Amino acid sequence: MQQEASQCAEMIKKANAIALLSGAGMSTNAGIPDFRGPQGLYKRAGIPDPERIFDIEYFYRDPSLFYSFHRELLKALDAAKPTFAHFFFAALEKKGKLLGIVTQNIDALHQRAGSRKVYEIHGGIWESHCTKCGKAFDYETSKRMTFEEEIPRCDNCGGVIKPDIVFFGEPVKHIDECFDLARKADFFFVVGSSLVVTPAAMIPSATSGEIVVVNKGEVSEFYLPSSRVALRVDADIDEFFRSVNEELKLL
Ligand code: CNA
């Protein structure tokens, strides 16, 4: 891993416009489990049919399934803190090296680490809206309602409230900006993603720069332009970026 970290550090030194696509693996060391793993949130919530949790059609029929899961997610988020890798990418932006981040995560840990230019392609939990009248609810209000009521309802019209997370069947957010970022990047990181969820998995293909993939386990190569993958690191994300940082001394 040390050799790969040195190679990565050299590439960062030469790059001027770095972009990052991050996924759930970026936050597992922060204590936010993935969805389907042995310790995953689907299992903790004790839900027999987890695929339906983020199905928008199902949400409109029965929002209670989503909310029983969401309460578990909110508890995990309360306890979570950004990891070394989150701080590393925030430091790259501060140094003027990083153009921006596309994240598939809804946990806002990039922002909490200090990153400014973050596109949450699958939305986030920080705002919620009434599905009937569109009234907005801030994080603290919607969180309180989520723990007080089985299904939080709008105080204006009684409609069901939904956090601004992108469900299956809903369009993703900021897609043009995400592809634009990839096009402008001269060096593209894919970190902690299996690259199976589209259209996020297609974004690296837009860059003309070299790509570095850091992920433990399998990464789908279906949309990945393999000729541009300069480095494929199969290691723990935080261990790897600590090694890279030993050479760059950003943190
Ligand atoms: P994924 O498909 O679950 O892939 C995550 C990858 O990260 C897997 O290949 C893991 O092996 C790998 N991984 C996990 N921990 C580490 C680690 N410490 N070091 C190195 N590799 C690691 O997740 P994707 O993000 O690719 O896409 C799936 C969904 C899950 C996205 O839409 C996410 O929004 C969604 N999700 C988000 C969160 C979050 O907000 N933190 C948590 C769980 C799921």
Side-chain angles (χ1 to χ4, degrees):
M1 190 176 76
Q2 194 50 53
Q3 202 187 332
E4 290 166 325
S6 301
Q7 195 182 335
C8 183
E10 285 311 310
M11 291 170 78
I12 290 174
K13 281 182 198 163
K14 287 186 198 133
N16 295 307
I18 301 170
L20 161 69
L21 171 66
S22 67
M26 187 99 190
S27 299
T28 53
N29 288 337
I32 303 175
D34 56 19
F35 286 169
R36 294 178 188 81
Q39 297 299 313
L41 285 165
Y42 283 161
K43 295 227 167 71
R44 286 190 197 189
I47 293 162
D49 200 356
E51 298 298 326
R52 286 178 166 176
I53 295 171
F54 290 103
D55 180 327
I56 193 64
E57 298 286 328
Y58 195 85
F59 179 83
Y60 283 123
R61 260 182 283 146
D62 178 14
S64 67
L65 178 71
F66 166 75
Y67 271 108
S68 58
F69 167 82
H70 194 50
R71 278 183 273 277
E72 293 300 312
L73 179 66
L74 290 177
K75 283 183 214 163
L77 283 177
D78 259 358
K81 289 196 177 65
T83 65
F84 185 87
H86 287 101
F87 286 114
F88 180 83
F89 280 95
L92 274 182
E93 184 181 7
K94 223 172 175 180
K95 217 173 176 323
K97 285 262 180 195
L98 183 115
L99 278 185
I101 296 172
V102 177
T103 187
Q104 300 170 81
N105 298 339
I106 54 171
D107 54 37
L109 289 182
H110 284 298
Q111 295 93 321
R112 283 177 55 193
S115 290
R116 293 281 162 261
K117 190 87 173 282
V118 183
Y119 296 114
E120 293 180 311
I121 189 168
H122 295 155
I125 56 163
W126 307 106
E127 218 182 10
S128 299
H129 284 88
C130 171
T131 53
K132 209 165 153 192
C133 73
K135 182 175 173 182
F137 294 84
D138 65 24
Y139 178 62
E140 287 307 326
T141 309
S142 63
K143 184 172 141 186
R144 181 177 43 74
M145 292 165 89
T146 300
F147 285 104
E148 278 174 9
E149 303 164 34
E150 198 204 350
I151 299 166
R153 289 190 179 273
C154 178
D155 55 359
N156 186 39
C157 73
V160 174
I161 294 167
K162 174 184 168 293
D164 294 355
I165 300 167
V166 174
F167 279 40
F168 294 114
E170 290 189 302
V172 298
K173 297 181 189 274
H174 320 292
I175 191 70
D176 292 342
E177 291 93 333
C178 293
F179 275 101
D180 200 38
L181 176 67
R183 270 190 291 273
K184 286 181 183 148
D186 62 3
F187 180 10
F188 197 99
F189 274 106
V190 175
V191 178
S193 176
S194 58
L195 290 186
V196 293
V197 177
T198 57
M202 298 170 175
I203 293 171
S205 67
T207 187
S208 50
E210 289 190 311
I211 300 170
V212 169
V213 179
V214 185
N215 195 67
K216 228 167 23 186
E218 234 179 285
V219 175
S220 167
E221 294 188 353
F222 196 79
Y223 297 104
L224 196 61
S226 44
S227 61
R228 251 171 292 132
V229 177
L231 201 55
R232 167 71 176 93
V233 184
D234 196 324
D236 180 83
I237 291 162
D238 289 296
E239 278 177 32
F240 178 69
F241 284 105
R242 275 182 200 281
S243 297
V244 176
N245 186 58
E246 273 169 31
E247 313 228 354
L248 296 177
K249 308 273 185 251
L250 286 176
L251 292 171

